[in-house]
Every structure is written in C-alpha cells, then in structure tokens.
C-alpha cells in the first residue's frame, strides 16, 4: 500500500428483471464492498441474491449491470455472481 493510502469509490447499478405477478426481493437493499486494487481478474466479489414469490419458471429472475461501469470492469451472471472482469488501473 502506498502512503498515504488512497481509496476510490464506484457506484454500479444492478437491475433484477422479472415479468410476473410478484416483485423480486433482494436480500439487501444496498451492497457495499471493498477489495484491493491488485485483486485478480475473475475473482468473485459478491453475489446478489433475489427471491421471487412466484412459482416454477415464473420465480426465475435475471440480474444485470445497467449503469456505473463505463470501463467494463465488472461482469455479473444472470444468477447474480459479480466478478472482476478486467484489471483495475493501479496508477
């Protein structure tokens, strides 16, 4: 770590899509995390968990990043697993 230690904050908007009767519910309203800038690409950073009161195929949800990632640093699977897609700028 350099001295003084520097921090950068990034807000990324993630949307949960659902087309049925019940609205999906996230296990957290807001997710916050921190990790070192030298974290390896492909590392899982967090998992967004959404539940839906519909049944069967109607209970399926899809998660995606819709805003806040102009450098394409992150990737999220439709099941909500967020990974570091590209290396962070370490300058």
């Amino acid at each position: 770590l350099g001295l003084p230690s520097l921090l950068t904050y990034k807000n990324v908007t993630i949307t949960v899509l659902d087309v049925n009767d019940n609205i999906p519910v996230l296990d957290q309203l807001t997710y916050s995390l921190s990790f070192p800038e030298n974290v390896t690409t492909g590392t899982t950073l967090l998992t967004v968990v959404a539940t839906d009161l519909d049944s069967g195929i109607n209970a399926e949800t899809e998660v995606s990043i819709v805003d806040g990632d102009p450098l394409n640093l992150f990737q999220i699977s439709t099941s909500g697993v967020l990974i570091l897609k590209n290396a962070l700028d370490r300058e």
Side-chain angles (χ1 to χ4, degrees):
L1 292 174
L3 291 175
S5 296
L6 303 176
L7 294 175
T8 299
Y9 295 94
K10 184 71 182 155
N11 289 319
V12 177
T13 303
I14 297 172
T15 296
V16 179
L17 299 178
D18 179 63
V19 238
N20 304 303
D21 300 333
N22 295 298
I23 297 171
V25 177
L26 297 174
D27 66 334
Q28 294 178 220
L29 215 46
T30 302
Y31 291 83
S32 180
L33 65 126
S34 61
F35 48 89
E37 66 180 0
N38 64 347
V39 68
T40 309
T41 57
T43 299
T44 297
L45 302 174
L46 67 86
T47 301
V48 175
V49 178
T51 55
D52 188 321
L53 293 177
D54 291 323
S55 59
I57 196 167
N58 292 333
E60 294 177 4
T61 57
E62 184 176 308
V63 181
S64 62
I65 296 173
V66 294
D67 189 30
D69 188 22
L71 299 176
N72 202 27
L73 297 174
F74 305 102
Q75 178 178 340
I76 194 161
S77 69
T78 56
S79 62
V81 178
L82 180 72
I83 65 165
L84 182 64
K85 181 178 178 181
N86 292 305
L88 301 173
D89 180 10
R90 295 169 41 169
E91 290 183 34

